[in-house]
Amino acid sequence: MDIGIKIKKPSLGRRIAIGDIHGCYNTFESLVVDEIQLKKEDQLFLLGDYIDRGIRNREVLDYIIELQESGFQIYPLMGNHEYFILRDIEFSKSSKEPHKIRDLIESKDLLNLENQIEEKFLKFIQNLPYYYELDNFILVHAGLNFEEKNPLLDKMSMIYARNFEVDKEKIKGKILIHGHTPINLDKIRYQISSYQTLGRINLDNGCVYKQYELEKDKDLGRLCALNLDNMELFFRDSID
């Protein structure tokens, strides 16, 4: 799989991006069906981190694969938690210590009875690109390394970056759409209203964190989606 893929704007339909899902299948399915009302002429971009922290990881990946196989235009990206799977598999193969894949990964429901990642899930993860380039947007999971001459060559920054400022010249004036770092809904709305100045929009409202007592005062707990053509924000409060 190439590190990045260029995607042409559809002649019909919308372009929509969804932030970090983290095993929140019920919320994800409701957002797609009830709020977005996804159609086959739409393009749906998923910004990575489909698994871990939440408990319905298998259902999330099954749903994405099902949508793809049903003819929907689904474009998923590599997130750091998907990358963890690939890293942990390699570590379990090469380490002389008695580590087993079940001991390493968080999303136990992705394993079969032999404690191996099911082939369809592994193939899905292995084929994930690190960025999509659209006519006026760059989509990644986390961010870009703008210290590099060409930020689109640093794939580790695409899944790990935080606390960066956008240098629009280095991405040809395009707007960066990403997730990875949970922010509250007011900040997301501010970034949408100011995206031309900021050069970025973060769509991660920490859907999975609704269940944690410490996060209740941070206005997290929703799964957010953005129509890239008219900047309409969709969101669904967590029901997982």
Side-chain angles (χ1 to χ4, degrees), residues 28-49:
F28 176 41
E29 193 267 349
S30 179
L31 178 65
V32 170
V33 174
D34 301 325
E35 303 297 333
I36 296 172
Q37 299 180 22
L38 187 69
K39 298 176 175 60
K40 289 186 176 180
E41 57 263 33
D42 298 329
Q43 292 178 339
L44 182 62
F45 297 91
L46 305 175
L47 302 181
D49 279 9

Side-chain angles (χ1 to χ4, degrees), residues 12-189:
L12 297 172
R14 303 164 294 173
R15 299 178 298 173
I16 297 169
I18 294 181
D20 302 39
I21 300 168
H22 278 302
C24 296
Y25 165 73
N26 293 327
T27 311
F28 176 41
E29 193 267 349
S30 179
L31 178 65
V32 170
V33 174
D34 301 325
E35 303 297 333
I36 296 172
Q37 299 180 22
L38 187 69
K39 298 176 175 60
K40 289 186 176 180
E41 57 263 33
D42 298 329
Q43 292 178 339
L44 182 62
F45 297 91
L46 305 175
L47 302 181
D49 279 9
Y50 317 113
I51 61 174
D52 293 346
R53 298 203 173 105
I55 62 173
R56 295 179 176 87
N57 308 285
R58 168 187 290 271
E59 292 165 275
V60 169
L61 294 189
D62 272 336
Y63 186 50
I64 296 170
I65 293 168
E66 177 188 333
L67 287 172
Q68 290 177 320
E69 292 178 345
S70 298
F72 287 89
Q73 300 180 69
I74 311 298
Y75 298 95
L77 282 168
M78 181 76 75
N80 58 299
H81 285 263
E82 288 74 48
Y83 180 76
F84 291 163
I85 293 283
L86 303 180
R87 179 200 64 186
D88 291 346
I89 288 173
E90 289 306 309
F91 181 77
S92 70
K93 290 178 180 178
S94 61
S95 176
K96 295 181 180 179
E97 297 181 19
H99 292 289
K100 296 180 180 179
I101 188 66
R102 184 175 179 83
D103 301 323
L104 294 169
I105 75 165
E106 184 176 337
S107 299
K108 310 298 185 190
D109 58 328
L110 299 182
L111 298 173
N112 60 25
L113 294 177
E114 287 74 41
N115 288 328
Q116 300 297 321
I117 300 290
E118 289 200 24
E119 184 64 27
K120 66 175 178 178
F121 299 137
L122 181 57
K123 183 178 179 180
F124 172 83
I125 292 169
Q126 288 173 329
N127 286 323
L128 293 172
Y130 286 78
Y131 75 88
Y132 291 113
E133 183 174 357
L134 282 55
D135 57 350
N136 49 354
F137 298 97
I138 301 290
L139 290 83
V140 298
H141 171 61
L144 293 174
N145 179 6
F146 288 99
E147 299 299 317
E148 293 288 337
K149 182 177 181 180
N150 184 356
L152 297 182
L153 296 179
D154 184 351
K155 67 181 185 180
M156 287 298 98
S157 291
M158 295 175 190
I159 59 173
Y160 287 121
R162 301 188 196 270
N163 303 318
F164 59 89
E165 292 187 8
V166 173
D167 184 340
K168 291 174 70 174
E169 289 187 5
K170 290 187 175 181
I171 52 174
K172 302 176 182 178
K174 299 187 179 188
I175 305 302
L176 185 65
I177 307 294
H178 68 96
H180 184 58
T181 302
I183 60 175
N184 67 44
L185 198 59
D186 284 343
K187 288 183 179 178
I188 292 175
R189 285 175 168 145

